[in-house]
Every structure is written in structure tokens, then in C-alpha cells.
Amino acid sequence: MSARSIDEPHRVSSQLELLFDLTFVVAVAAVTAELAHAVADGRSPGELVPFLQVFFAIWWAWMNFTWFASAYDTDDVAYRLLTMVQMAGVLVLAAGVPAATGHGDFGVVTVGYLIMRMALVAQWVRAGIDDPASRRTALRYAAGITVVQTGWILRFLLAESGALPSWSALPFFLCLDVMEVALPRWAELVKPTTWHPHHIAERYGLFTIILLGESVLAASRGVEGALDADGITWPFVVIAFSGLVLLFALWWLYFLVQAGEGLRDRRHRSYLWGYGHYGIFAALAALGAGLEVAVTQTGHPVAASPVALGYAVAIPVGVFLALLWAVHALVAEEPVIHPVAVLSCVVVVMSLPPATAVVGVATVVAGIAAACVLLVVVTIATATRRRARLAERKSEPAVTSSEAALS
């Protein structure tokens, strides 16, 4: 298991990686559905922390595998089998999502996470044995993951036995989170791994598409519920159409920047770029839950207030836009989306929900979608003018030289 080249040509996601992503579809769908139930019942503020905790486990497990595979994907029998063990762990984790988010019982989630992490430890140990040049880095990863995983098990056992006070459960969780995100930086101090920039950019793009697809799935669940109740109504049509347009706009904004080139030239910013996607991915998952409830309430009464439903859509969109601009700015040579345009769009989006009680949820969702579409239009127009100015500047020296030669 030797390290792959950082400039390997035509590097794309493997069939095994695509299969691996499919198991995360189940986990993301489970956590999105639970958040949708919390929003509908008016419990979304209290359920936000469990949602973010479970989503961290999902995101971190996916991200660790993705960066490891970018450097060490040998696609042999041992690699495939260990990856399939990780997939099994994802499915176990997904089965424990309702208990974790609804009752604070992280037992099944902890077991699923343990399965995934121990399989990854085995991968790192194998890399350390077979790749002497990167042995210290690989063994650091293996040791670090083992230590932190021991901490997760200890947290669960202390919580189950009652030895862990309820007030300390969240700080304990956050402490382990910090150790998780600090581990790659510490492990690679001796020698960085040879992850492939274009491969990483593609993998993140594919996971973004999965989360957008989860939003479509969540909204479709709301559509089914509304149709079963009162059939097609104008608010139903407006929300369903606006939600779809909103997802199209967010997809367009995300893929305005091809991050592969930027990651190749700015590898030192990869940590911030990769970690910043936690908020982007979580926002897309939360948006799916918000859209599901927004559609559902057109046919079924829900406990949440109209203003709360407006914020259930607006807050994820605002977080997505702000973080998207930040991660784009890290790797792009110059910002593709103008910061003033992003800020203006976020302000408009966040100012719409208070009007929900007067104009209705459908109008607010339509307004949020319209603001994001306008941001896409402004960004495309600005980029077109920028390209035109660059073309003019490039052509000016040629024209001047020709005129000089004629004279």
C-alpha cells in the first residue's frame, strides 16, 4: 500500500467510493427526517444540538475515509474488505440516529462509529507497514484515532452509568470533537499525505450533490403528505416549485468554483477548506428538513409557528451562503461571488421570516428562492463582465504592436 501521486492524471472517484457514499445517503436521510419531525413539533431549537452532534459523526467518518482514499486507495482485496466494514458501520450508525436525536441515547451511534473508526485504523496500520516513507504519519493517525475513539467509548460508558453529570455531556463531546479535528494536523506534522487535489474537490462535490438530493427527497416526503391530505393547493404549488428552484440556485452557486486548481496551488489551506464544509453540509441537510415541513404544513397542521417554519428554511440558506463564500475565497484566485452580493443576499433571506405570519410560509420560501436566484444572476453577470475586460486587456498589446509595425 504505497502512497499515490498528488499529480496523478485523470484521477476520479472509484466505483467503491461511490458505493461508500450510498451508505451515507441512509445516514443523512435518517438525521434529516428526525430534524424534520422536531421542526414540525416545534422542538427544533432543542433538537439542534443532537442533530449537529450526530451529523458531526457522519461527516467526520466520511471525510476521514475520503482523504485517506485520496492518498492510499490501492483497490485490492484487503482495502475493499476494510472499506466494506466501514460501510457496515455507517448503516449501524444510521440505525441509531432516532434514539440519539430523540432520546439522547448514543449507544448504537457509538457502536457504528467504533466499527468505522477501527476499520480505518486497520487501513492506517497497513499503510504504515507497507509505505516506509510515510510510516510515522500513518502510525500517528492509527494511534491518534485509537486514543480519541477510546474517549468516545469512555464518554458513553460514563453517561450510561450516571457518573457523567448531565451538564458536562456537551463539553465532553466538544472536547473530543476538538481532538478529532486537531488529529490530522498533528499526524501530518512529520510528513503530509499525498492527497490528490482534483480528486478531493470531486469527492466534496459529489457529497454536496448527495445532500442536495436528500433535500429533494425530504421535500418529496412533504409533497406526499400534503397530497394525501388536501390535494393540490396554491401554497403547496408555490412552496414545491420555490424549493426546487432554491436547490437549483444553491447547486449553481456551489459549482461556480472548480476547487481542484485552487487546492493544488494552495494545499496549505486544505484544512480550513475541508473543515468549512461541515457547516455547508449540515446546512443543506437542515434545509431539507425545513423544506419538508414547509410543504407538509400546506396539507397537515403542524405545531411549529409560521415564523419558525420561515426560519427553518432561511437559517440553513444563510449559513450555506456565508460559508460557501468563505471556502471559495480560500482556494479561488479571486472571489467569484462578490462579498457585498453575498452579504446582501443573506440579509434579505434572514429578514423575510418575521413576515411569515402576515404573508404566509409560501411567500417567504418564494422570496428566499428569488433572492438566491438573483445572487446567481448577479454573479454570472459580474463574471461575464470580468472576462470581457480581461479579453480586452489581452488584446490591447497585440493591437498596439500591429499599429506600431504599420507605422
Coordinates of all heavy atoms in Angstrom, one line a residue, residues 91-146:
L91 N -24.1 2.1 8.4 CA -25.5 1.6 8.5 C -25.9 1.4 9.9 O -27.1 1.7 10.3 CB -25.7 0.4 7.6 CG -25.4 0.5 6.1 CD1 -25.6 -0.8 5.4 CD2 -26.4 1.5 5.5
V92 N -25.0 0.9 10.7 CA -25.3 0.8 12.2 C -25.5 2.1 12.8 O -26.5 2.3 13.6 CB -24.2 0.0 12.9 CG1 -24.4 0.0 14.4 CG2 -24.0 -1.4 12.4
L93 N -24.7 3.1 12.4 CA -24.8 4.4 13.0 C -26.2 5.0 12.5 O -26.9 5.6 13.4 CB -23.7 5.3 12.4 CG -23.6 6.8 13.0 CD1 -22.2 7.3 13.0 CD2 -24.4 7.7 12.1
A94 N -26.6 4.8 11.3 CA -27.9 5.3 10.8 C -29.0 4.7 11.6 O -30.0 5.4 11.9 CB -28.0 5.0 9.3
A95 N -28.9 3.5 12.0 CA -30.0 2.8 12.7 C -30.1 3.5 14.1 O -31.2 3.4 14.7 CB -29.7 1.3 12.9
G96 N -29.1 4.0 14.6 CA -29.1 4.6 16.0 C -29.5 6.1 16.0 O -29.6 6.7 17.1
V97 N -29.7 6.7 14.8 CA -30.0 8.1 14.7 C -31.3 8.5 15.5 O -31.3 9.5 16.3 CB -30.0 8.6 13.3 CG1 -30.7 10.0 13.2 CG2 -28.6 8.6 12.7
P98 N -32.4 7.8 15.3 CA -33.6 8.2 16.0 C -33.5 8.2 17.5 O -33.9 9.1 18.2 CB -34.6 7.1 15.6 CG -34.2 6.7 14.2 CD -32.7 6.7 14.4
A99 N -32.8 7.2 18.1 CA -32.6 7.2 19.5 C -31.6 8.3 20.0 O -31.9 8.9 21.1 CB -32.0 5.8 19.9
A100 N -30.6 8.6 19.2 CA -29.7 9.7 19.6 C -30.3 11.0 19.6 O -30.2 11.8 20.5 CB -28.5 9.6 18.7
T101 N -31.0 11.3 18.5 CA -31.6 12.7 18.4 C -32.9 12.8 19.2 O -33.2 13.9 19.7 CB -31.9 13.0 16.9 OG1 -32.8 12.0 16.4 CG2 -30.7 13.1 16.1
G102 N -33.7 11.8 19.3 CA -34.9 11.9 20.1 C -34.8 11.7 21.6 O -35.6 12.3 22.3
H103 N -33.9 10.8 22.0 CA -33.8 10.5 23.4 C -32.4 10.6 24.0 O -32.2 10.3 25.2 CB -34.2 9.0 23.6 CG -35.6 8.7 23.0 ND1 -36.8 9.2 23.5 CD2 -35.9 8.0 21.9 CE1 -37.7 8.7 22.7 NE2 -37.2 8.0 21.7
G104 N -31.5 11.1 23.2 CA -30.1 11.3 23.7 C -29.4 10.0 24.0 O -28.4 10.0 24.7
D105 N -29.8 8.9 23.4 CA -29.2 7.6 23.6 C -28.2 7.4 22.4 O -28.6 7.1 21.3 CB -30.3 6.5 23.6 CG -29.7 5.1 23.8 OD1 -28.4 5.1 24.0 OD2 -30.4 4.2 23.8
F106 N -26.9 7.6 22.7 CA -25.9 7.5 21.6 C -25.3 6.1 21.6 O -24.2 5.9 21.0 CB -24.8 8.5 21.9 CG -25.3 9.9 21.5 CD1 -26.0 10.7 22.4 CD2 -25.0 10.4 20.2 CE1 -26.4 12.0 22.1 CE2 -25.4 11.7 19.9 CZ -26.1 12.5 20.8
G107 N -25.9 5.1 22.2 CA -25.3 3.8 22.2 C -25.1 3.1 20.9 O -23.9 2.8 20.5
V108 N -26.1 3.1 20.0 CA -26.0 2.5 18.7 C -25.1 3.3 17.8 O -24.2 2.8 17.0 CB -27.4 2.3 18.0 CG1 -27.2 1.7 16.6 CG2 -28.2 1.3 18.9
V109 N -25.2 4.6 17.9 CA -24.4 5.5 17.1 C -22.9 5.3 17.5 O -22.0 5.3 16.6 CB -24.8 7.0 17.4 CG1 -23.7 7.9 16.8 CG2 -26.1 7.3 16.7
T110 N -22.6 5.2 18.8 CA -21.2 4.9 19.2 C -20.7 3.6 18.7 O -19.5 3.5 18.3 CB -21.2 4.9 20.8 OG1 -21.7 6.2 21.3 CG2 -19.7 4.7 21.3
V111 N -21.5 2.6 18.7 CA -21.1 1.3 18.1 C -20.8 1.4 16.7 O -19.8 0.9 16.2 CB -22.2 0.2 18.4 CG1 -21.8 -1.1 17.7 CG2 -22.3 -0.1 19.9
G112 N -21.7 2.0 15.9 CA -21.4 2.2 14.5 C -20.2 3.0 14.2 O -19.4 2.7 13.3
Y113 N -20.0 4.1 15.0 CA -18.8 4.9 14.8 C -17.5 4.1 15.2 O -16.5 4.2 14.5 CB -18.9 6.1 15.7 CG -17.9 7.2 15.4 CD1 -18.0 7.9 14.3 CD2 -17.0 7.6 16.4 CE1 -17.1 9.0 14.0 CE2 -16.1 8.6 16.1 CZ -16.1 9.3 14.9 OH -15.3 10.3 14.6
L114 N -17.6 3.3 16.2 CA -16.5 2.4 16.6 C -16.1 1.5 15.4 O -14.9 1.3 15.1 CB -16.8 1.6 17.8 CG -15.8 0.5 18.2 CD1 -14.5 1.1 18.6 CD2 -16.4 -0.3 19.4
I115 N -17.1 0.9 14.8 CA -16.8 0.0 13.7 C -16.1 0.7 12.5 O -15.1 0.2 12.0 CB -18.1 -0.7 13.1 CG1 -18.8 -1.6 14.2 CG2 -17.9 -1.4 11.8 CD1 -20.2 -2.0 13.9
M116 N -16.6 1.9 12.2 CA -16.0 2.6 11.1 C -14.5 3.0 11.5 O -13.6 2.9 10.6 CB -16.8 3.9 10.9 CG -18.1 3.7 10.2 SD -18.9 5.2 9.7 CE -19.4 5.8 11.3
R117 N -14.3 3.5 12.7 CA -13.0 4.0 13.1 C -12.0 2.9 13.2 O -10.8 3.1 12.8 CB -13.1 4.8 14.4 CG -14.1 5.9 14.3 CD -13.7 7.0 13.3 NE -12.7 7.9 13.9 CZ -12.0 8.8 13.2 NH1 -12.1 8.8 11.9 NH2 -11.2 9.6 13.8
M118 N -12.4 1.8 13.7 CA -11.4 0.7 13.8 C -11.0 0.1 12.5 O -9.9 -0.3 12.3 CB -12.0 -0.4 14.7 CG -12.1 0.0 16.2 SD -10.5 0.5 17.0 CE -10.5 2.3 16.8
A119 N -11.9 0.1 11.5 CA -11.6 -0.3 10.2 C -10.6 0.7 9.6 O -9.7 0.3 8.9 CB -12.8 -0.4 9.3
L120 N -10.8 2.0 9.9 CA -9.9 3.0 9.4 C -8.5 2.8 10.0 O -7.5 3.0 9.4 CB -10.4 4.4 9.6 CG -9.6 5.5 9.0 CD1 -9.5 5.4 7.5 CD2 -10.2 6.9 9.4
V121 N -8.5 2.5 11.3 CA -7.2 2.3 12.0 C -6.4 1.1 11.3 O -5.2 1.2 11.1 CB -7.4 1.9 13.5 CG1 -6.2 1.4 14.1 CG2 -7.9 3.2 14.2
A122 N -7.2 0.1 11.0 CA -6.5 -1.0 10.3 C -5.9 -0.6 8.9 O -4.8 -1.0 8.5 CB -7.5 -2.2 10.1
Q123 N -6.6 0.3 8.2 CA -6.1 0.8 7.0 C -4.8 1.6 7.2 O -3.8 1.4 6.4 CB -7.2 1.7 6.3 CG -8.5 1.1 5.9 CD -8.4 0.4 4.5 OE1 -7.4 -0.1 4.2 NE2 -9.5 0.6 3.8
W124 N -4.8 2.4 8.2 CA -3.6 3.2 8.5 C -2.4 2.3 8.9 O -1.3 2.6 8.6 CB -3.9 4.3 9.6 CG -4.6 5.5 9.0 CD1 -5.8 6.0 9.4 CD2 -4.0 6.5 8.1 NE1 -6.1 7.2 8.7 CE2 -5.0 7.5 7.9 CE3 -2.8 6.6 7.4 CZ2 -4.8 8.6 7.1 CZ3 -2.6 7.6 6.6 CH2 -3.6 8.6 6.4
V125 N -2.7 1.3 9.7 CA -1.6 0.4 10.1 C -1.1 -0.3 8.9 O 0.2 -0.4 8.8 CB -2.2 -0.6 11.2 CG1 -1.2 -1.7 11.4 CG2 -2.5 0.1 12.5
R126 N -1.9 -0.7 8.0 CA -1.4 -1.4 6.8 C -0.6 -0.4 6.0 O 0.5 -0.8 5.5 CB -2.6 -1.9 6.0 CG -2.2 -2.6 4.8 CD -3.4 -3.2 4.0 NE -3.0 -3.8 2.8 CZ -3.6 -3.7 1.7 NH1 -4.6 -3.0 1.5 NH2 -3.1 -4.4 0.6
A127 N -1.0 0.9 5.9 CA -0.2 1.8 5.1 C 1.1 2.1 5.8 O 2.1 2.2 5.1 CB -1.0 3.2 5.1
G128 N 1.1 2.1 7.2 CA 2.4 2.3 7.9 C 3.4 1.1 7.7 O 4.6 1.3 7.6
I129 N 2.8 -0.1 7.5 CA 3.7 -1.2 7.3 C 4.2 -1.2 5.9 O 5.4 -1.5 5.7 CB 2.9 -2.5 7.6 CG1 2.6 -2.6 9.1 CG2 3.7 -3.8 7.1 CD1 1.6 -3.8 9.4
D130 N 3.4 -0.9 4.9 CA 3.8 -1.1 3.5 C 4.5 0.1 2.9 O 5.1 0.0 1.9 CB 2.5 -1.4 2.7 CG 1.9 -2.8 3.0 OD1 2.7 -3.5 3.6 OD2 0.8 -3.0 2.6
D131 N 4.3 1.3 3.5 CA 4.9 2.5 3.0 C 5.9 3.1 4.0 O 5.5 4.0 4.8 CB 3.8 3.5 2.7 CG 4.3 4.7 1.9 OD1 5.4 4.7 1.4 OD2 3.5 5.8 1.9
P132 N 7.2 2.7 4.0 CA 8.1 3.2 4.9 C 8.3 4.7 4.9 O 8.5 5.3 6.0 CB 9.4 2.5 4.5 CG 9.0 1.3 3.7 CD 7.7 1.7 3.0
A133 N 8.2 5.3 3.7 CA 8.4 6.8 3.6 C 7.4 7.6 4.5 O 7.7 8.6 5.0 CB 8.4 7.2 2.2
S134 N 6.2 7.0 4.6 CA 5.1 7.7 5.3 C 4.7 7.0 6.6 O 3.6 7.2 7.1 CB 3.9 7.9 4.4 OG 4.2 8.6 3.3
R135 N 5.6 6.1 7.1 CA 5.2 5.3 8.2 C 4.9 6.1 9.4 O 3.9 5.8 10.1 CB 6.4 4.3 8.5 CG 6.1 3.3 9.7 CD 7.1 2.2 9.7 NE 7.0 1.4 8.5 CZ 8.0 0.6 8.0 NH1 9.1 0.6 8.7 NH2 7.8 -0.1 6.9
R136 N 5.7 7.1 9.8 CA 5.4 7.8 11.0 C 4.0 8.5 10.9 O 3.3 8.5 11.9 CB 6.5 8.8 11.3 CG 7.9 8.2 11.7 CD 8.9 9.3 12.0 NE 8.5 10.1 13.1 CZ 9.0 11.3 13.4 NH1 10.0 11.8 12.6 NH2 8.6 12.0 14.4
T137 N 3.7 9.1 9.8 CA 2.4 9.7 9.6 C 1.3 8.7 9.8 O 0.3 9.0 10.5 CB 2.3 10.4 8.3 OG1 3.4 11.4 8.2 CG2 1.0 11.1 8.1
A138 N 1.4 7.6 9.1 CA 0.3 6.6 9.2 C 0.2 6.1 10.6 O -1.0 5.9 11.1 CB 0.7 5.5 8.2
L139 N 1.2 5.8 11.3 CA 1.1 5.3 12.7 C 0.6 6.3 13.6 O -0.1 6.0 14.6 CB 2.5 4.7 13.1 CG 2.9 3.5 12.3 CD1 4.3 3.0 12.9 CD2 1.9 2.4 12.3
R140 N 0.9 7.6 13.4 CA 0.4 8.7 14.2 C -1.1 8.7 14.0 O -1.9 8.9 15.0 CB 1.0 10.0 13.8 CG 2.3 10.3 14.4 CD 2.7 11.8 14.0 NE 3.9 12.2 14.8 CZ 4.0 13.4 15.3 NH1 3.0 14.3 15.1 NH2 5.0 13.8 16.0
Y141 N -1.6 8.6 12.8 CA -3.1 8.5 12.5 C -3.7 7.3 13.3 O -4.7 7.5 14.0 CB -3.3 8.4 11.0 CG -3.6 9.7 10.3 CD1 -2.7 10.2 9.4 CD2 -4.7 10.4 10.6 CE1 -2.9 11.4 8.7 CE2 -5.0 11.6 9.9 CZ -4.0 12.1 9.0 OH -4.3 13.3 8.3
A142 N -3.1 6.2 13.2 CA -3.6 5.0 13.8 C -3.7 5.1 15.3 O -4.7 4.8 15.9 CB -2.8 3.8 13.4
A143 N -2.6 5.6 15.9 CA -2.6 5.8 17.4 C -3.6 6.9 17.8 O -4.3 6.7 18.8 CB -1.2 6.2 17.8
G144 N -3.6 8.0 17.1 CA -4.5 9.1 17.4 C -5.9 8.7 17.4 O -6.7 9.1 18.3
I145 N -6.3 8.1 16.3 CA -7.7 7.6 16.2 C -8.1 6.7 17.3 O -9.2 6.8 17.8 CB -8.0 7.0 14.8 CG1 -7.8 8.0 13.7 CG2 -9.3 6.4 14.7 CD1 -7.8 7.4 12.3
T146 N -7.2 5.8 17.6 CA -7.5 4.8 18.7 C -7.7 5.5 20.0 O -8.6 5.2 20.8 CB -6.3 3.8 18.8 OG1 -6.2 3.1 17.6 CG2 -6.6 2.8 19.9

